[in-house]
Every structure is written in structure tokens, then in C-alpha cells.
Coordinates of all heavy atoms in Angstrom, one line a residue:
M1 N 59.6 36.0 183.1 CA 60.9 36.4 183.5 C 60.8 37.9 183.7 O 61.2 38.8 182.9 CB 61.9 36.1 182.4 CG 63.3 36.1 182.9 SD 64.6 36.0 181.7 CE 64.6 37.7 181.1
A2 N 60.5 38.4 184.9 CA 60.4 39.8 185.2 C 61.4 40.2 186.2 O 61.1 40.6 187.4 CB 59.1 40.2 185.7
D3 N 62.7 40.0 186.0 CA 63.8 40.2 186.9 C 64.2 41.7 186.8 O 64.8 42.2 185.8 CB 65.0 39.5 186.4 CG 65.3 38.3 187.4 OD1 64.7 38.2 188.4 OD2 66.2 37.5 187.0
D4 N 63.7 42.5 187.6 CA 64.0 43.9 187.7 C 65.5 44.1 188.0 O 66.0 43.4 188.9 CB 63.2 44.7 188.7 CG 61.9 45.2 188.1 OD1 61.6 44.8 187.0 OD2 61.3 45.9 188.8
I5 N 66.1 45.0 187.3 CA 67.5 45.2 187.5 C 67.6 46.5 188.3 O 67.1 47.5 187.9 CB 68.3 45.3 186.2 CG1 68.0 44.1 185.3 CG2 69.8 45.5 186.5 CD1 68.6 44.2 184.0
S6 N 68.3 46.4 189.4 CA 68.5 47.6 190.2 C 69.8 47.9 190.5 O 70.7 47.1 190.3 CB 67.6 47.6 191.4 OG 67.8 46.3 192.1
I7 N 70.1 49.2 190.9 CA 71.4 49.6 191.3 C 71.3 50.1 192.7 O 70.3 50.7 193.1 CB 71.9 50.7 190.3 CG1 73.4 51.0 190.6 CG2 71.1 52.0 190.3 CD1 74.0 51.8 189.4
S8 N 72.3 50.0 193.5 CA 72.3 50.4 194.9 C 73.0 51.7 195.0 O 74.2 51.8 194.7 CB 73.0 49.2 195.7 OG 72.9 49.6 197.1
I9 N 72.3 52.7 195.5 CA 72.9 54.0 195.7 C 72.6 54.4 197.1 O 71.4 54.4 197.5 CB 72.4 55.0 194.7 CG1 72.7 54.6 193.3 CG2 72.9 56.4 194.9 CD1 71.9 55.2 192.2
N10 N 73.6 54.8 197.8 CA 73.4 55.1 199.2 C 72.7 54.0 200.0 O 71.7 54.3 200.8 CB 72.6 56.5 199.3 CG 73.5 57.6 198.9 OD1 74.7 57.5 198.8 ND2 72.8 58.6 198.4
E11 N 73.0 52.8 199.8 CA 72.5 51.7 200.4 C 71.0 51.5 200.1 O 70.3 50.8 200.8 CB 72.7 51.7 201.9 CG 74.2 51.4 202.1 CD 74.6 51.7 203.7 OE1 73.7 51.8 204.5 OE2 75.7 52.1 203.8
Q12 N 70.5 52.1 199.1 CA 69.0 52.0 198.7 C 69.1 51.4 197.3 O 69.8 51.8 196.5 CB 68.3 53.3 198.7 CG 67.7 53.6 200.0 CD 66.7 54.6 200.0 OE1 66.8 55.5 199.2 NE2 65.6 54.4 200.7
S13 N 68.2 50.4 197.0 CA 68.1 49.8 195.8 C 67.1 50.6 194.9 O 66.0 50.9 195.3 CB 67.6 48.4 196.0 OG 67.5 47.8 194.8
H14 N 67.6 50.9 193.7 CA 66.7 51.7 192.8 C 66.6 51.0 191.5 O 67.7 50.6 190.9 CB 67.3 53.1 192.4 CG 67.5 54.0 193.7 ND1 66.5 54.7 194.2 CD2 68.5 54.1 194.5 CE1 66.9 55.4 195.2 NE2 68.2 54.9 195.5
P15 N 65.4 50.7 191.0 CA 65.3 50.0 189.7 C 65.9 50.9 188.5 O 65.7 52.1 188.6 CB 63.8 49.8 189.5 CG 63.2 50.7 190.5 CD 64.1 51.1 191.5
I16 N 66.6 50.3 187.6 CA 67.1 51.0 186.4 C 66.0 51.1 185.4 O 65.3 50.1 185.1 CB 68.3 50.2 185.9 CG1 69.5 50.2 186.9 CG2 68.8 50.8 184.6 CD1 70.6 49.4 186.5
L17 N 65.8 52.3 184.9 CA 64.8 52.5 183.9 C 65.3 52.8 182.6 O 66.4 53.3 182.4 CB 63.9 53.7 184.4 CG 63.4 53.7 185.8 CD1 62.7 55.0 186.1 CD2 62.5 52.5 186.1
C18 N 64.5 52.6 181.6 CA 64.9 52.9 180.1 C 64.8 54.5 180.1 O 63.9 55.1 180.5 CB 63.8 52.3 179.3 SG 63.9 52.9 177.5
G19 N 65.8 55.0 179.6 CA 65.8 56.5 179.4 C 64.8 57.0 178.5 O 64.5 58.3 178.5
T20 N 64.3 56.2 177.6 CA 63.3 56.7 176.6 C 61.9 56.6 177.1 O 61.1 57.6 177.1 CB 63.4 55.9 175.3 OG1 64.7 55.9 174.9 CG2 62.5 56.5 174.3
C21 N 61.5 55.4 177.7 CA 60.1 55.3 178.1 C 59.9 55.2 179.7 O 58.8 55.1 180.2 CB 59.5 54.1 177.5 SG 60.1 52.6 178.1
Q22 N 61.0 55.3 180.5 CA 61.1 55.3 181.9 C 60.4 54.1 182.5 O 59.9 54.1 183.6 CB 60.1 56.6 182.4 CG 60.5 57.9 181.7 CD 61.9 58.3 182.0 OE1 62.4 58.3 183.2 NE2 62.6 58.8 181.0
Q23 N 60.5 52.9 181.7 CA 60.0 51.7 182.3 C 61.2 50.9 182.8 O 62.3 51.0 182.3 CB 59.2 50.9 181.2 CG 57.9 51.5 180.7 CD 57.0 51.7 181.8 OE1 56.6 50.8 182.5 NE2 56.5 52.9 182.0
P24 N 61.0 50.1 183.8 CA 62.1 49.3 184.3 C 62.7 48.3 183.2 O 61.9 47.8 182.4 CB 61.5 48.4 185.4 CG 60.2 49.1 185.8 CD 59.8 49.9 184.6
I25 N 64.0 48.3 183.1 CA 64.6 47.4 182.1 C 64.7 46.0 182.6 O 64.6 45.7 183.9 CB 66.0 47.9 181.7 CG1 66.9 47.9 182.9 CG2 65.8 49.3 181.1 CD1 68.4 48.0 182.4
A26 N 64.9 45.1 181.7 CA 65.1 43.7 182.2 C 66.2 43.0 181.5 O 66.7 43.6 180.4 CB 63.8 42.9 181.8
F27 N 66.7 41.9 182.0 CA 67.7 41.1 181.3 C 67.2 40.6 179.9 O 66.0 40.3 179.8 CB 68.2 40.0 182.1 CG 69.3 40.3 183.1 CD1 68.9 40.4 184.4 CD2 70.5 40.7 182.7 CE1 69.8 40.8 185.3 CE2 71.5 41.0 183.6 CZ 71.2 41.1 184.9
I28 N 67.9 40.7 178.9 CA 67.7 40.1 177.6 C 68.3 38.7 177.6 O 69.6 38.7 177.6 CB 68.1 40.9 176.4 CG1 67.7 42.4 176.6 CG2 67.6 40.4 175.1 CD1 66.2 42.7 176.6
G29 N 67.6 37.6 177.6 CA 68.3 36.3 177.6 C 68.8 36.0 179.0 O 68.1 36.2 180.0
E30 N 70.0 35.6 179.1 CA 70.6 35.2 180.4 C 70.7 36.3 181.3 O 71.2 37.4 181.1 CB 72.0 34.7 180.1 CG 72.4 33.5 180.7 CD 74.0 33.3 180.6 OE1 74.4 33.6 179.4 OE2 74.6 32.9 181.5
S31 N 70.3 36.1 182.6 CA 70.3 37.1 183.6 C 71.7 37.0 184.3 O 71.8 36.5 185.4 CB 69.2 37.1 184.6 OG 69.0 35.8 185.2
N32 N 72.7 37.4 183.7 CA 74.1 37.3 184.2 C 74.6 38.7 184.4 O 74.7 39.5 183.4 CB 74.9 36.5 183.1 CG 76.4 36.3 183.7 OD1 76.9 37.2 184.3 ND2 76.8 35.1 183.5
T33 N 74.9 39.1 185.6 CA 75.4 40.5 185.7 C 76.8 40.8 185.3 O 77.2 41.9 185.3 CB 75.4 40.8 187.3 OG1 76.0 39.9 187.9 CG2 73.9 41.0 187.7
D34 N 77.5 39.7 184.8 CA 78.8 40.0 184.2 C 78.8 40.1 182.6 O 79.4 41.0 182.1 CB 79.8 38.9 184.6 CG 80.1 39.0 186.1 OD1 80.3 40.2 186.6 OD2 80.2 37.9 186.7
T35 N 78.1 39.2 182.1 CA 78.2 39.1 180.7 C 76.8 39.2 179.9 O 76.7 39.2 178.7 CB 78.8 37.7 180.2 OG1 78.0 36.7 180.7 CG2 80.2 37.6 180.7
G36 N 75.8 39.4 180.8 CA 74.4 39.5 180.2 C 74.1 40.8 179.5 O 74.9 41.7 179.5
K37 N 73.1 40.8 178.8 CA 72.6 42.1 178.1 C 71.2 42.4 178.8 O 70.5 41.6 179.3 CB 72.3 41.8 176.7 CG 73.6 41.9 175.9 CD 73.2 41.7 174.3 CE 74.4 41.5 173.4 NZ 75.3 42.6 173.5
A38 N 71.0 43.7 178.8 CA 69.8 44.2 179.4 C 69.3 45.4 178.6 O 70.0 46.0 177.9 CB 70.1 44.5 180.9
G39 N 68.1 45.7 178.8 CA 67.5 46.9 178.2 C 65.9 46.8 178.0 O 65.3 46.0 178.7
C40 N 65.5 47.6 177.2 CA 64.2 47.8 177.0 C 63.8 47.4 175.5 O 64.3 48.1 174.6 CB 63.8 49.3 177.1 SG 62.1 49.6 176.8
V41 N 63.1 46.3 175.3 CA 62.8 45.7 174.1 C 61.9 46.7 173.1 O 62.3 47.0 172.0 CB 62.2 44.3 174.1 CG1 61.8 43.8 172.7 CG2 63.2 43.4 174.8
P42 N 60.8 47.2 173.7 CA 59.9 48.1 172.9 C 60.8 49.2 172.3 O 60.5 49.8 171.2 CB 58.9 48.6 173.8 CG 58.9 47.6 174.9 CD 60.2 47.1 175.0
C43 N 61.8 49.8 173.0 CA 62.5 51.0 172.5 C 63.8 50.6 171.8 O 64.5 51.5 171.3 CB 62.9 51.9 173.8 SG 61.5 52.6 174.6
D44 N 64.0 49.3 171.7 CA 65.2 48.8 171.0 C 66.5 49.4 171.7 O 67.3 49.8 171.1 CB 65.1 49.0 169.6 CG 66.2 48.1 168.8 OD1 66.6 47.1 169.4 OD2 66.6 48.5 167.7
N45 N 66.4 49.6 173.1 CA 67.5 50.2 173.8 C 68.1 49.1 174.7 O 67.8 48.9 175.8 CB 66.8 51.3 174.7 CG 67.8 52.1 175.5 OD1 69.0 52.1 175.2 ND2 67.3 52.7 176.5
I46 N 69.1 48.4 174.1 CA 69.7 47.3 174.7 C 71.2 47.4 174.7 O 71.8 47.8 173.7 CB 69.2 46.0 173.9 CG1 67.7 45.8 174.2 CG2 70.0 44.8 174.5 CD1 67.1 44.9 173.1
A47 N 71.8 47.1 175.9 CA 73.2 47.2 175.9 C 73.8 46.1 176.8 O 73.0 45.5 177.5 CB 73.7 48.6 176.4
D48 N 75.0 45.8 176.9 CA 75.7 44.9 177.8 C 75.4 45.5 179.2 O 75.5 46.6 179.5 CB 77.2 44.9 177.7 CG 77.5 44.2 176.3 OD1 76.7 43.4 175.7 OD2 78.7 44.4 175.9
I49 N 75.1 44.6 180.1 CA 74.7 45.0 181.4 C 75.8 45.8 182.1 O 75.5 46.8 182.8 CB 74.4 43.7 182.4 CG1 73.9 44.2 183.7 CG2 75.5 42.8 182.5 CD1 72.5 44.9 183.8
Q50 N 77.1 45.6 181.9 CA 78.1 46.4 182.4 C 78.1 47.8 181.8 O 78.4 48.7 182.6 CB 79.5 45.7 182.1 CG 79.8 44.5 182.9 CD 79.8 44.7 184.4 OE1 80.3 45.7 185.0 NE2 79.1 43.8 185.1
E51 N 77.8 47.9 180.6 CA 77.6 49.2 180.0 C 76.5 49.9 180.6 O 76.5 51.2 180.9 CB 77.4 49.1 178.5 CG 78.6 48.9 177.6 CD 79.5 50.0 177.6 OE1 79.0 51.1 177.2 OE2 80.7 49.9 178.0
V52 N 75.4 49.2 180.8 CA 74.2 49.8 181.4 C 74.5 50.4 182.8 O 74.2 51.5 183.0 CB 73.1 48.7 181.5 CG1 71.8 49.3 182.3 CG2 72.6 48.3 180.1
L53 N 75.2 49.7 183.5 CA 75.6 50.0 184.9 C 76.5 51.2 184.8 O 76.3 52.2 185.7 CB 76.2 48.9 185.6 CG 75.3 47.7 185.9 CD1 76.1 46.5 186.5 CD2 74.2 48.1 186.9
K54 N 77.4 51.3 183.9 CA 78.2 52.4 183.8 C 77.5 53.7 183.4 O 77.7 54.8 184.0 CB 79.2 52.1 182.7 CG 80.7 52.4 183.1 CD 81.7 51.8 182.2 CE 81.7 52.4 180.9 NZ 82.6 51.7 179.9
M55 N 76.5 53.6 182.5 CA 75.7 54.7 182.1 C 74.8 55.2 183.2 O 74.7 56.4 183.4 CB 74.8 54.4 180.9 CG 75.7 54.2 179.6 SD 74.6 54.1 178.2 CE 74.7 52.2 177.8
V56 N 74.3 54.3 184.0 CA 73.5 54.7 185.1 C 74.2 55.3 186.2 O 73.8 56.3 186.8 CB 72.7 53.4 185.7 CG1 72.0 53.7 187.0 CG2 71.7 52.9 184.7
A57 N 75.5 54.8 186.5 CA 76.3 55.4 187.4 C 76.6 56.9 187.1 O 76.6 57.8 187.9 CB 77.6 54.6 187.7
E58 N 76.8 57.1 185.8 CA 77.1 58.5 185.3 C 75.9 59.4 185.4 O 76.0 60.5 185.9 CB 77.5 58.4 183.9 CG 78.2 59.6 183.3 CD 78.6 59.4 181.8 OE1 79.2 58.4 181.4 OE2 78.1 60.2 181.0
Y59 N 74.8 58.8 185.1 CA 73.5 59.5 185.3 C 73.4 59.9 186.8 O 73.1 61.1 187.1 CB 72.4 58.8 184.8 CG 71.0 59.4 185.2 CD1 70.5 60.3 184.3 CD2 70.4 59.1 186.4 CE1 69.2 60.9 184.6 CE2 69.1 59.6 186.7 CZ 68.6 60.6 185.8 OH 67.5 61.2 186.1
A60 N 73.5 59.0 187.7 CA 73.3 59.2 189.2 C 74.4 60.3 189.6 O 74.0 61.1 190.4 CB 73.5 57.9 189.9
K61 N 75.5 60.3 189.1 CA 76.6 61.2 189.5 C 76.1 62.6 189.1 O 76.2 63.5 189.8 CB 77.9 60.8 188.9 CG 79.1 61.5 189.5 CD 80.3 61.2 188.8 CE 80.4 62.0 187.5 NZ 81.4 61.5 186.6
D62 N 75.7 62.7 187.8 CA 75.3 64.0 187.3 C 74.1 64.4 188.1 O 74.0 65.7 188.5 CB 74.8 63.8 185.9 CG 76.0 63.7 184.9 OD1 77.1 63.8 185.3 OD2 75.7 63.5 183.7
E63 N 73.2 63.6 188.4 CA 72.0 64.0 189.1 C 72.3 64.5 190.5 O 71.7 65.4 190.9 CB 71.1 62.7 189.1 CG 69.6 63.1 189.5 CD 68.9 64.1 188.7 OE1 69.2 64.2 187.5 OE2 68.1 64.8 189.2
G64 N 73.3 63.9 191.1 CA 73.7 64.3 192.4 C 74.2 65.7 192.4 O 73.9 66.6 193.3
Q65 N 75.0 66.0 191.4 CA 75.6 67.4 191.2 C 74.5 68.4 191.0 O 74.4 69.5 191.5 CB 76.6 67.4 190.1 CG 77.1 68.8 189.8 CD 78.0 69.3 190.9 OE1 78.8 68.6 191.5 NE2 77.7 70.5 191.3
L66 N 73.5 68.0 190.1 CA 72.3 68.8 189.8 C 71.5 69.1 191.0 O 71.0 70.2 191.1 CB 71.5 68.2 188.7 CG 72.2 68.1 187.3 CD1 71.4 67.3 186.4 CD2 72.6 69.4 186.8
M67 N 71.4 68.1 191.8 CA 70.5 68.2 193.0 C 71.2 69.4 193.9 O 70.5 70.1 194.5 CB 70.4 66.9 193.8 CG 69.5 67.0 195.0 SD 69.6 65.5 196.0 CE 71.4 65.4 196.4
F68 N 72.5 69.3 194.0 CA 73.2 70.2 194.8 C 73.0 71.7 194.2 O 72.8 72.6 194.9 CB 74.7 69.9 194.9 CG 75.5 70.9 195.6 CD1 75.6 70.8 196.9 CD2 76.2 71.9 194.9 CE1 76.4 71.8 197.7 CE2 76.9 72.8 195.6 CZ 77.0 72.8 197.0
N69 N 73.1 71.8 192.8 CA 72.9 73.0 192.1 C 71.6 73.5 192.4 O 71.4 74.7 192.6 CB 73.2 72.8 190.6 CG 74.6 72.7 190.3 OD1 75.5 72.8 191.2 ND2 74.9 72.5 189.1
R70 N 70.5 72.7 192.4 CA 69.2 73.1 192.5 C 69.0 73.7 194.0 O 68.3 74.7 194.2 CB 68.1 72.0 192.3 CG 68.0 71.7 190.8 CD 66.9 70.8 190.5 NE 67.0 69.5 190.9 CZ 67.4 68.5 190.0 NH1 67.6 68.8 188.7 NH2 67.5 67.2 190.4
M71 N 69.6 73.0 195.0 CA 69.5 73.5 196.3 C 70.2 74.9 196.4 O 69.6 75.8 197.1 CB 70.3 72.6 197.3 CG 69.3 71.4 197.8 SD 70.2 70.0 198.5 CE 71.4 70.9 199.6
A72 N 71.4 75.0 195.8 CA 72.1 76.3 195.9 C 71.2 77.4 195.2 O 71.2 78.5 195.7 CB 73.4 76.1 195.2
R73 N 70.6 77.0 194.1 CA 69.7 77.9 193.4 C 68.6 78.4 194.3 O 68.3 79.6 194.3 CB 69.2 77.3 192.1 CG 68.3 78.2 191.3 CD 67.4 77.4 190.4 NE 66.6 76.4 191.1 CZ 66.0 75.3 190.5 NH1 66.1 75.2 189.3 NH2 65.3 74.5 191.3
D74 N 68.0 77.5 195.0 CA 66.8 77.8 195.8 C 67.3 78.7 196.9 O 66.5 79.6 197.4 CB 66.1 76.5 196.3 CG 65.4 75.8 195.1 OD1 65.3 76.4 194.0 OD2 65.1 74.7 195.3
V75 N 68.4 78.4 197.5 CA 68.9 79.2 198.6 C 69.2 80.7 198.0 O 68.8 81.6 198.7 CB 70.1 78.7 199.2 CG1 70.9 79.6 200.1 CG2 69.8 77.3 199.9
A76 N 69.8 80.7 196.9 CA 70.2 82.0 196.3 C 68.9 82.8 196.1 O 69.0 84.0 196.2 CB 71.0 81.8 195.0
R77 N 67.9 82.1 195.6 CA 66.6 82.8 195.3 C 66.1 83.6 196.5 O 65.4 84.6 196.3 CB 65.6 81.7 194.9 CG 64.9 82.1 193.6 CD 64.0 80.9 193.3 NE 64.2 80.5 191.9 CZ 63.7 79.4 191.4 NH1 63.1 78.6 192.2 NH2 64.0 79.0 190.1
Q78 N 66.3 83.1 197.7 CA 65.7 83.7 198.8 C 66.6 84.7 199.4 O 66.4 85.2 200.5 CB 65.4 82.6 199.9 CG 64.2 81.7 199.4 CD 64.0 80.5 200.2 OE1 64.5 80.4 201.3 NE2 63.3 79.5 199.6
S79 N 67.8 84.8 198.8 CA 68.7 85.7 199.4 C 68.9 86.9 198.5 O 68.9 86.8 197.3 CB 70.1 84.9 199.5 OG 71.2 85.8 199.7
K80 N 69.2 88.1 199.2 CA 69.4 89.3 198.4 C 70.9 89.5 198.0 O 71.2 90.2 197.0 CB 69.0 90.6 199.2 CG 67.6 90.7 199.4 CD 67.2 92.0 200.1 CE 65.8 92.2 200.2 NZ 65.0 91.3 201.1
I81 N 71.7 88.7 198.7 CA 73.2 88.9 198.4 C 73.8 87.8 197.6 O 74.9 87.9 197.1 CB 74.0 89.2 199.8 CG1 73.7 88.0 200.7 CG2 73.7 90.5 200.4 CD1 74.6 88.0 201.8
M82 N 73.1 86.7 197.5 CA 73.6 85.6 196.8 C 73.0 85.5 195.4 O 71.8 85.8 195.2 CB 73.4 84.3 197.5 CG 74.4 83.9 198.4 SD 73.8 82.4 199.3 CE 73.9 81.2 197.9
S83 N 73.8 85.0 194.4 CA 73.1 84.7 193.2 C 73.7 83.3 192.8 O 74.8 82.9 193.1 CB 73.4 85.8 192.1 OG 74.7 85.7 191.8
F84 N 73.0 82.6 192.0 CA 73.4 81.3 191.5 C 73.3 81.2 190.0 O 72.3 81.6 189.4 CB 72.6 80.3 192.2 CG 73.0 78.9 191.6 CD1 74.1 78.2 192.0 CD2 72.2 78.3 190.6 CE1 74.3 77.0 191.5 CE2 72.4 77.0 190.1 CZ 73.6 76.4 190.5
E85 N 74.4 80.8 189.4 CA 74.4 80.5 188.0 C 75.0 79.1 187.8 O 76.1 78.8 188.3 CB 75.3 81.5 187.2 CG 74.4 82.7 186.7 CD 75.3 83.6 186.0 OE1 75.9 83.1 185.0 OE2 75.3 84.8 186.3
G86 N 74.2 78.2 187.2 CA 74.7 76.8 186.9 C 73.7 76.0 186.4 O 72.5 76.3 186.2
Q87 N 74.0 74.8 186.1 CA 73.2 73.9 185.5 C 72.2 73.2 186.5 O 72.7 72.8 187.6 CB 74.0 72.8 184.8 CG 73.3 72.0 183.8 CD 74.2 70.7 183.5 OE1 75.4 70.8 183.4 NE2 73.5 69.6 183.1
T88 N 70.9 73.1 186.2 CA 70.1 72.5 187.3 C 69.3 71.4 186.6 O 68.5 70.8 187.3 CB 69.1 73.6 187.9 OG1 68.4 74.2 186.8 CG2 69.8 74.5 188.7
S89 N 69.5 71.2 185.4 CA 68.8 70.0 184.8 C 69.7 69.2 183.8 O 70.6 69.8 183.3 CB 67.5 70.3 184.2 OG 67.7 71.3 183.2
Q90 N 69.4 68.0 183.6 CA 70.3 67.1 182.7 C 70.2 67.7 181.3 O 69.2 68.0 180.8 CB 69.8 65.7 182.7 CG 69.8 65.0 184.0 CD 71.1 64.3 184.4 OE1 72.0 64.3 183.6 NE2 71.2 63.6 185.5
N91 N 71.5 67.9 180.8 CA 71.5 68.5 179.4 C 71.9 67.5 178.4 O 72.1 67.9 177.2 CB 72.4 69.7 179.5 CG 73.9 69.3 179.7 OD1 74.1 68.2 180.0 ND2 74.7 70.3 179.6
K92 N 72.0 66.2 178.7 CA 72.3 65.2 177.7 C 71.3 64.0 177.9 O 70.8 63.9 178.9 CB 73.7 64.8 177.8 CG 74.1 64.3 179.0 CD 75.7 64.0 179.1 CE 76.1 63.6 180.5 NZ 77.6 63.5 180.7
A93 N 71.1 63.4 176.8 CA 70.2 62.3 176.8 C 70.9 61.1 177.5 O 72.1 60.8 177.2 CB 69.7 61.9 175.4
H94 N 70.2 60.5 178.4 CA 70.7 59.2 179.0 C 69.9 58.1 178.5 O 68.8 58.1 178.6 CB 70.7 59.3 180.5 CG 71.7 60.3 181.1 ND1 72.9 60.0 181.5 CD2 71.5 61.6 181.2 CE1 73.5 61.1 181.9 NE2 72.7 62.1 181.8
R95 N 70.6 57.0 178.0 CA 69.9 55.8 177.5 C 69.3 55.1 178.7 O 68.3 54.5 178.6 CB 70.9 54.9 176.8 CG 71.2 55.3 175.4 CD 72.2 54.5 174.7 NE 71.7 53.2 174.5 CZ 72.3 52.1 174.2 NH1 73.6 52.2 174.0 NH2 71.8 51.0 174.0
F96 N 70.0 55.1 179.9 CA 69.4 54.4 181.0 C 69.5 55.4 182.2 O 70.4 56.0 182.4 CB 70.3 53.2 181.3 CG 70.2 52.2 180.2 CD1 71.2 52.1 179.3 CD2 69.0 51.4 179.9 CE1 71.2 51.2 178.2 CE2 69.0 50.6 178.9 CZ 70.0 50.5 178.0
V97 N 68.4 55.3 183.0 CA 68.4 56.2 184.1 C 67.8 55.5 185.4 O 67.5 54.4 185.3 CB 67.4 57.5 183.8 CG1 67.9 58.2 182.6 CG2 65.9 57.0 183.6
V98 N 68.0 56.2 186.4 CA 67.3 55.6 187.7 C 66.6 56.7 188.4 O 67.0 57.9 188.4 CB 68.7 55.0 188.5 CG1 69.6 56.1 188.9 CG2 68.1 54.3 189.8
D99 N 65.6 56.3 189.0 CA 64.8 57.3 189.8 C 65.3 57.4 191.1 O 65.2 56.4 192.0 CB 63.2 56.8 189.8 CG 62.4 57.8 190.5 OD1 62.9 58.8 190.9 OD2 61.2 57.5 190.6
L100 N 66.0 58.5 191.4 CA 66.7 58.6 192.7 C 65.7 59.1 193.8 O 66.0 59.2 195.0 CB 67.8 59.6 192.6 CG 68.9 59.1 191.6 CD1 70.0 60.2 191.5 CD2 69.6 57.8 192.2
K101 N 64.4 59.4 193.4 CA 63.5 59.9 194.3 C 64.0 61.0 195.2 O 63.8 61.1 196.4 CB 62.9 58.7 195.2 CG 62.2 57.7 194.3 CD 61.7 56.5 195.2 CE 61.1 55.5 194.4 NZ 62.0 54.7 193.6
L102 N 64.7 62.0 194.5 CA 65.2 63.1 195.2 C 64.1 64.2 195.5 O 63.2 64.3 194.6 CB 66.3 63.8 194.5 CG 67.5 62.9 194.2 CD1 68.5 63.4 193.3 CD2 68.1 62.4 195.5
Ligands
ZN1 ZN1 62.0 51.9 176.8

């Protein structure tokens, strides 16, 4: 039973990964996207699939903002008149993440 769980972002499917070991997570027991549980057994990182999706969506939203910040930082770096101050990397631990391949 190797049902990879993925999330669709910008019409692209990305597998959901365990935030601890970065391995794809899988359904635990029933593969039901409404009531099932999913997670990473070796890390004991398991949650309701709906919770998992919520956490991943939050991660993706943060990551989108950070990507924008990193772009702004890089632009500012090459400019004499601009400076950039802001967050460019995730500052909180996420139990579940997704590789956005940014
Ligand atoms: Zn893990």
C-alpha cells in the first residue's frame, strides 16, 4: 500500500512529505481523504488527513511569501538604493511539508 498523498498547487501535484524526515507520507489504515489518517510511521508523525492538508496549505502559503521575500532580497542586493529587511526562511517547524520545487 504505497499510496502517495499529494496536494495540488498551481495545478501541479506535489507529494506531501513528513516535516521531520522529508519522506512522502502515506495513509494509515483506510485511504479516505475525508476521515482517514495519514503520516509518517517511523517519526510517529500522524494526523487526520484533513489536519495534514491544513498544515501543508499553511506551509505552502508561508513558503510563497518567503519566495517573494527572497526575490525582493536578491533584487535589493544588486541595488544601491534599495534595501530589504524581512524573513526569508521558515521560522517555525512544520509537521508536514511539500516540496514546491521553487
Ligand atoms: Zn518522517
Side-chain angles (χ1 to χ4, degrees):
M1 199 191 81
D3 251 352
D4 272 10
I5 306 172
S6 50
I7 187 166
S8 182
I9 298 165
N10 297 332
E11 286 164 29
Q12 271 198 324
S13 176
H14 301 272
I16 297 177
L17 309 176
C18 168
T20 307
C21 68
Q22 316 292 317
Q23 294 300 308
I25 63 165
F27 277 108
I28 312 295
E30 220 189 326
S31 54
N32 183 319
T33 48
D34 290 318
T35 59
K37 280 183 186 299
C40 178
V41 175
C43 297
D44 199 19
N45 183 17
I46 292 160
D48 291 341
I49 185 69
Q50 289 299 321
E51 280 292 304
V52 171
L53 294 174
K54 229 163 67 185
M55 287 187 258
V56 169
E58 197 179 305
Y59 172 85
K61 196 185 73 190
D62 287 355
E63 194 56 33
Q65 179 64 47
L66 294 173
M67 182 186 64
F68 178 82
N69 284 359
R70 286 193 285 262
M71 271 164 46
R73 178 199 60 195
D74 291 346
V75 169
R77 227 178 234 165
Q78 293 166 17
S79 162
K80 288 188 174 71
I81 53 164
M82 270 177 67
S83 68
F84 172 78
E85 269 182 53
Q87 194 192 330
T88 54
S89 58
Q90 299 271 1
N91 64 354
K92 55 186 173 188
H94 290 267
R95 282 178 64 195
F96 298 101
V97 303
V98 60
D99 183 1
L100 297 172
K101 299 181 178 70
L102 298 175

